[in-house]
Amino acid sequence: MAFKIGLLGLGTVGSGTAEIIYNPQGRHPLLNDITIAKIGVKSLNKQRTIDIAAEVLTTDLDSIVSDPDIDIVVELIGGLEPARTLILKAIASGKHVVTANKAVIARYGQEIFEAAKKAKVYVLLEAAVGGGIPIVEPLKQSLGANRIETIIGIVNGTTNYILTEMTEKGSDFAEVLQEAQALGYAEADPTADVEGYDAADKISILASLAFDRQVKREDVYSEGITSITSSDIDYADKLGYVIKLLAIAQKPAQDQENLELRVHPTLVEKSHPLANVNGVFNAILVEGQPLGQVMFYGPGAGSGPTASAVVADILNIVGVLQSNHGAHALDPLLSSSPEKPAPIAPIDDVSTCFYARFLCADVPGVIGHLGTIFGDFGVSLASVVQIGFQDDLAEIVVVTHHVREGNFRSAIQAIEDLEAIKKIPSIIRVL
Amino acid sequence: MAFKIGLLGLGTVGSGTAEIIYNPQGRHPLLNDITIAKIGVKSLNKQRTIDIAAEVLTTDLDSIVSDPDIDIVVELIGGLEPARTLILKAIASGKHVVTANKAVIARYGQEIFEAAKKAKVYVLLEAAVGGGIPIVEPLKQSLGANRIETIIGIVNGTTNYILTEMTEKGSDFAEVLQEAQALGYAEADPTADVEGYDAADKISILASLAFDRQVKREDVYSEGITSITSSDIDYADKLGYVIKLLAIAQKPAQDQENLELRVHPTLVEKSHPLANVNGVFNAILVEGQPLGQVMFYGPGAGSGPTASAVVADILNIVGVLQSNHGAHALDPLLSSSPEKPAPIAPIDDVSTCFYARFLCADVPGVIGHLGTIFGDFGVSLASVVQIGFQDDLAEIVVVTHHVREGNFRSAIQAIEDLEAIKKIPSIIRVL
């Protein structure tokens, strides 16, 4: 049986995908049953890194998603529109869809999955999270026996590269960001990466899959890395931690419906498996019962890795279609369309540990006051250390035990009013 | 549609599997369509950790594999016989098979897969390698776009625990082995683990899947960890390495049919992702084109993790069956039956780097001789260090560049004849 692909987009990932399909030797033999019927592009005359027959290229993307010859539409143009509309049209025309588009899935996943369910087609998205790392398919096809409790990911390569460079070279954020832009690891407008929005897209997708719940993207709390300083990285190091931008989805208790969903810089113990994930690499840790912890590690971006994930999705669809001879009932593992909404806990209700740094004039007095105020708000301290000096002010670093975020914030407010406290330069959560 | 399972064996993994199927809430909803029809056990009267209705238990395992009511036989008794015969009988009766039995698959995989192909049934084995880590399904379902080049695994928890303890506490092999036995991490007869035979079973399975070739278990070169000393661990540390028992499958070049397959203790650079895999944890690194490197990390054994993998296989079969309404063509991703044999390179032809330690009387003279002899055999040295003293003898450690193993061994033979060389206590490969 031969299957025909319509590719939307021939950028980095599109070219990587075409490259694999045009060169099947040494890869899975099922690739021999797959051909690219059409590729939708912006301009027919652009120089390409790959030879494409002229009749395959078209600028009419609409004609691809409704082409009766095409079995699978692969959306690689990114962004919200026209991606969303093209995906919905493809589904309405009975086509299976593969997409690498985290933004559209994070925001319109529910609409898209419901349409796919009605039309009995697959919408697969391995490449939307973690680049080449198999994580979406393993969540669906390999971890279903488990009650998933936690997903913690380093899912943004740009910020992980920046934090790694800051850690290894002691450089400042702004400096490393510039380098990252020069190297192509960060975009000209780095907002989506450095503010944690990209990671928030990805964790909302993972949470929806892992907990089988409809997750609203706007419910994800996110905090970026722009205020992380090399001093904090230094102090964290002395305390036995590295700082990573983590995306966390958690079910605080199995009998509870509430999920915790958040993206923020985090102190991670050096012995933790995620602590050694450096540079542009990504990793996703999944914790469940009875499995315990598993981690998936690899390249989070790039033409080849992302194309590997896109083609994995295509192969999964073709594999299932070959086995059921068009019988057209969906494999319940591979399809996914969460029906229940997920209430998300407000960030104030989330319980975590904190690292906070204070600049103060009077050390012995301050330590006493800090202890009293934290105590008043039910914040228990794991350690209080005077760790350095800055402009004649003593630097005190506090690490708390687990505490409800709301309580911790109230304590901080009260502490800010203390005469001796001159500044609170950093507050960072601890894993 | 309801699917009926026949379970062979109710030991640690069998109980874990039953536990999951009997308690589906919070797990994949497809579990609600699965029931355990029969469980084959040795004795009906044994105390169990889990409540099983009396009519489900039977000591007649043959009756399970031929029971017309049963759709999937789950073989968890381990060992070669009667496991092999029961699996083949189940296949002959048209049942799908799930097994955690690495020994039987490594030795009789070809026979079993061919029978399964003829009978159009699945034989899945996620639990046979890496315990709870999804690795077999990702290789089949997520990495098919790639030309796989290398698989490197820490796939034996017992030896990884022993090496980790030796590293962290400076203890000797024998001492740590005893502790591991007391903790249940090592068996009374530890041969299969410490000699690398268990890891060899697993890498032959992974190689067969990744390279789609028939791999003969007896072709896997294996060397255990019994001669690793705390001095070597110490010297490795000083040179920037840790020592791990690695199982390696490699295709030296894509145009070549020959595979390299080997299990041996290996010096691994501390910054390598596998270097931080400690204790009983396992990890498998897969390298391919265009993906680059991905790593799968998690618990390599234990009731819960292994049962998680067994149930993943059951869910995959049920998922495909539900989608094709009994249409009975196999999903070509999930099924696997390599048709071509894999010629394995003799270990002498494998190219790798070596660490070797020499005890000698006359340092300056020896270093000159070593250099000359190594040079004569085409062995190029990356470093030569005098690293300590033992019983008045100087210890010299040499690390080579990549060299054909045969050439290195010939050089070592010539070096052994040198007057000043008193002993060569260790030769360990370097990754």
Side-chain angles (χ1 to χ4, degrees):
Chain A
M1 254 195 292
F3 293 86
K4 288 193 174 148
I5 306 293
L7 213 58
L8 307 179
L10 194 58
T12 324
V13 180
S15 305
T17 302
E19 188 85 39
I20 293 172
I21 297 175
Y22 285 138
N23 299 284
Q25 61 283 10
R27 314 185 195 277
H28 198 287
L30 201 51
L31 279 166
N32 294 310
D33 297 349
I34 296 168
T35 55
I36 299 180
K38 286 283 171 195
I39 304 179
V41 293
K42 268 194 201 149
S43 150
L44 296 176
N45 306 316
K46 203 179 151 189
Q47 276 287 90
R48 310 276 171 197
T49 54
I50 176 172
D51 264 347
I52 311 270
E55 67 271 21
V56 169
L57 294 177
T58 173
T59 56
D60 182 2
L61 275 62
D62 262 310
S63 73
I64 296 182
V65 297
S66 57
D67 186 335
D69 265 6
I70 285 173
D71 304 290
I72 304 172
V73 167
V74 179
E75 185 275 303
L76 301 173
I77 54 179
L80 296 182
E81 285 294 356
R84 172 180 154 273
T85 304
L86 287 167
I87 290 174
L88 289 169
K89 278 190 188 171
I91 293 171
S93 304
K95 320 226 167 294
H96 304 284
V97 172
V98 171
T99 176
N101 194 326
K102 63 225 158 202
V104 94
I105 293 294
R107 281 163 195 79
Y108 302 108
Q110 197 180 322
E111 181 186 16
I112 290 169
F113 292 137
E114 275 171 18
K117 197 181 175 183
K118 270 188 210 139
K120 290 194 180 165
V121 297
Y122 296 100
V123 175
L124 301 191
L125 50 125
E126 180 61 84
V129 184
I133 306 171
I135 177 62
V136 172
E137 251 119 47
L139 270 176
K140 291 178 171 184
Q141 298 176 316
S142 301
L143 300 176
N146 295 278
R147 294 181 182 134
I148 305 295
E149 292 156 350
T150 311
I151 296 187
I152 309 181
I154 295 176
V155 288
N156 181 274
T158 306
T159 47
N160 201 49
Y161 172 82
I162 293 174
L163 291 172
T164 303
E165 288 292 297
M166 289 175 72
T167 305
E168 285 174 2
K169 301 191 178 149
S171 332
D172 277 325
F173 172 77
E175 190 183 328
V176 181
L177 174 60
Q178 268 193 338
E179 280 171 31
Q181 285 170 322
L183 287 164
Y185 293 160
E187 296 182 39
D189 175 0
T191 316
D193 292 320
V194 300
E195 295 298 349
Y197 305 151
D198 170 80
D201 284 357
K202 290 165 177 170
I203 195 68
S204 75
I205 294 174
L206 291 179
S208 149
L209 287 167
F211 301 110
D212 194 27
R213 289 286 180 277
Q214 297 170 353
V215 171
K216 288 210 185 90
R217 166 64 181 82
E218 65 265 30
D219 286 347
V220 184
Y221 174 86
S222 68
E223 206 178 296
I225 63 162
T226 53
S227 60
I228 298 295
T229 65
S230 54
S231 325
D232 289 314
I233 289 178
D234 221 39
Y235 297 152
D237 176 61
K238 281 181 188 130
L239 294 164
Y241 298 96
V242 292
I243 300 183
K244 295 286 179 191
L245 183 72
L246 298 187
I248 303 175
Q250 205 153 10
K251 205 166 184 178
Q254 273 302 330
D255 52 350
Q256 234 175 286
E257 277 299 287
N258 262 10
L259 292 184
E260 295 178 4
L261 267 182
R262 48 202 169 97
V263 172
H264 51 65
T266 318
L267 270 70
V268 180
E269 272 182 42
K270 286 180 190 171
S271 60
H272 191 280
L274 289 169
N276 298 300
V277 176
N278 289 320
V280 292
F281 278 90
N282 282 14
I284 298 113
L285 189 90
V286 181
E287 221 174 306
Q289 190 281 327
L291 175 59
Q293 285 188 337
V294 290
M295 189 176 78
F296 304 81
Y297 166 95
S303 167
T306 312
S308 160
V310 167
V311 176
D313 282 347
I314 297 174
L315 288 172
N316 268 283
I317 294 173
V318 171
V320 173
L321 293 183
Q322 282 221 341
S323 78
N324 71 7
H325 294 303
H328 237 52
L330 294 180
D331 179 330
L333 289 192
L334 212 50
S335 64
S336 114
S337 173
E339 285 169 11
K340 296 187 203 169
I344 305 297
I347 189 74
D348 269 354
D349 284 345
V350 169
S351 168
T352 181
C353 306
F354 283 91
Y355 154 104
R357 182 155 60 96
F358 304 92
L359 287 178
C360 62
D362 160 24
V363 179
V366 166
I367 289 183
H369 284 304
L370 284 178
T372 311
I373 297 178
F374 275 131
D376 288 348
F377 288 91
V379 183
S380 142
L381 299 180
S383 64
V384 185
V385 227
Q386 190 201 325
I387 206 159
F389 280 95
Q390 214 181 84
D391 306 328
D392 287 341
L393 295 173
E395 287 193 295
I396 293 179
V397 165
V398 160
V399 177
T400 75
H401 287 295
H402 265 87
V403 52
R404 200 185 144 270
E405 174 135 357
N407 292 27
F408 178 78
R409 296 285 171 191
S410 306
I412 289 292
Q413 256 177 4
I415 289 166
E416 274 172 340
D417 292 340
L418 287 178
E419 173 75 32
I421 295 287
K422 301 305 174 195
K423 213 181 156 193
I424 309 180
S426 13
I427 292 175
I428 310 175
R429 293 169 192 81
V430 182
L431 189 62
Chain B
M1 251 194 295
F3 293 84
K4 288 194 172 145
I5 307 293
L7 212 59
L8 307 180
L10 194 58
T12 325
V13 181
S15 304
T17 302
E19 189 85 39
I20 293 172
I21 296 175
Y22 286 138
N23 299 284
Q25 61 282 10
R27 314 185 196 276
H28 198 287
L30 201 53
L31 279 166
N32 294 309
D33 297 349
I34 297 167
T35 54
I36 299 179
K38 286 285 171 192
I39 304 179
V41 293
K42 268 195 199 144
S43 149
L44 296 177
N45 307 314
K46 203 179 151 189
Q47 277 286 92
R48 308 277 171 196
T49 54
I50 177 170
D51 265 347
I52 311 269
E55 66 273 20
V56 169
L57 294 178
T58 174
T59 54
D60 182 1
L61 274 64
D62 263 310
S63 74
I64 295 182
V65 297
S66 58
D67 185 335
D69 265 6
I70 284 174
D71 304 290
I72 303 170
V73 167
V74 180
E75 184 275 305
L76 302 173
I77 54 178
L80 296 182
E81 285 294 356
R84 171 181 155 274
T85 304
L86 287 166
I87 290 174
L88 289 170
K89 278 189 187 172
I91 293 170
S93 306
K95 320 230 167 291
H96 304 284
V97 172
V98 171
T99 177
N101 194 328
K102 64 221 158 206
V104 94
I105 293 294
R107 283 164 193 77
Y108 302 108
Q110 196 181 323
E111 179 185 19
I112 290 169
F113 292 137
E114 275 172 18
K117 198 181 174 183
K118 270 187 211 142
K120 290 194 181 165
V121 296
Y122 295 100
V123 174
L124 302 191
L125 50 124
E126 181 62 83
V129 184
I133 306 171
I135 178 61
V136 173
E137 252 119 47
L139 270 176
K140 292 178 173 185
Q141 297 175 317
S142 302
L143 300 177
N146 295 280
R147 296 181 181 135
I148 305 294
E149 292 157 350
T150 311
I151 297 187
I152 310 181
I154 295 177
V155 288
N156 181 275
T158 306
T159 47
N160 202 47
Y161 171 83
I162 292 174
L163 291 172
T164 303
E165 288 291 297
M166 287 174 72
T167 305
E168 285 175 3
K169 300 191 179 149
S171 330
D172 277 324
F173 172 77
E175 192 182 325
V176 181
L177 174 61
Q178 266 193 341
E179 281 171 32
Q181 285 170 321
L183 288 163
Y185 293 159
E187 296 183 40
D189 176 1
T191 316
D193 291 319
V194 300
E195 296 296 351
Y197 304 152
D198 171 81
D201 284 358
K202 290 165 177 168
I203 196 67
S204 74
I205 294 173
L206 291 179
S208 150
L209 287 167
F211 301 108
D212 193 28
R213 289 287 179 277
Q214 297 169 354
V215 171
K216 289 210 185 90
R217 166 63 181 84
E218 65 265 30
D219 286 346
V220 184
Y221 174 84
S222 69
E223 203 180 297
I225 64 163
T226 54
S227 60
I228 299 295
T229 65
S230 53
S231 326
D232 289 312
I233 290 177
D234 222 39
Y235 296 153
D237 177 60
K238 281 180 189 132
L239 295 165
Y241 299 96
V242 292
I243 299 183
K244 297 286 181 192
L245 183 72
L246 298 188
I248 301 175
Q250 205 154 10
K251 204 167 183 177
Q254 273 303 331
D255 52 349
Q256 232 176 286
E257 278 299 287
N258 261 10
L259 292 183
E260 294 177 5
L261 268 182
R262 48 204 170 96
V263 172
H264 50 65
T266 317
L267 268 70
V268 180
E269 272 182 41
K270 285 179 189 172
S271 60
H272 191 280
L274 288 169
N276 297 300
V277 176
N278 290 320
V280 292
F281 279 89
N282 283 15
I284 298 112
L285 189 89
V286 181
E287 222 173 307
Q289 190 280 328
L291 176 58
Q293 285 190 338
V294 291
M295 189 176 78
F296 303 82
Y297 166 94
S303 166
T306 312
S308 160
V310 167
V311 175
D313 283 347
I314 298 174
L315 286 171
N316 268 285
I317 294 173
V318 170
V320 173
L321 294 183
Q322 282 220 341
S323 79
N324 72 6
H325 294 302
H328 238 53
L330 295 180
D331 178 329
L333 289 192
L334 212 50
S335 63
S336 112
S337 173
E339 285 170 9
K340 296 188 203 165
I344 305 297
I347 189 74
D348 268 354
D349 283 345
V350 170
S351 166
T352 181
C353 306
F354 284 90
Y355 154 105
R357 183 156 59 95
F358 304 91
L359 288 178
C360 62
D362 160 24
V363 180
V366 165
I367 288 182
H369 284 306
L370 284 179
T372 312
I373 296 177
F374 275 130
D376 289 347
F377 289 91
V379 182
S380 139
L381 298 181
S383 64
V384 186
V385 227
Q386 188 199 326
I387 204 154
F389 280 96
Q390 214 182 83
D391 307 329
D392 288 342
L393 294 173
E395 286 192 296
I396 292 179
V397 165
V398 160
V399 177
T400 74
H401 287 297
H402 265 87
V403 52
R404 200 182 144 273
E405 173 136 356
N407 290 28
F408 178 80
R409 295 286 172 192
S410 305
I412 289 292
Q413 255 178 3
I415 288 167
E416 271 172 342
D417 293 339
L418 288 178
E419 172 77 32
I421 295 288
K422 299 306 173 194
K423 215 181 153 192
I424 308 180
S426 14
I427 292 174
I428 309 175
R429 291 169 193 82
V430 181
L431 188 60

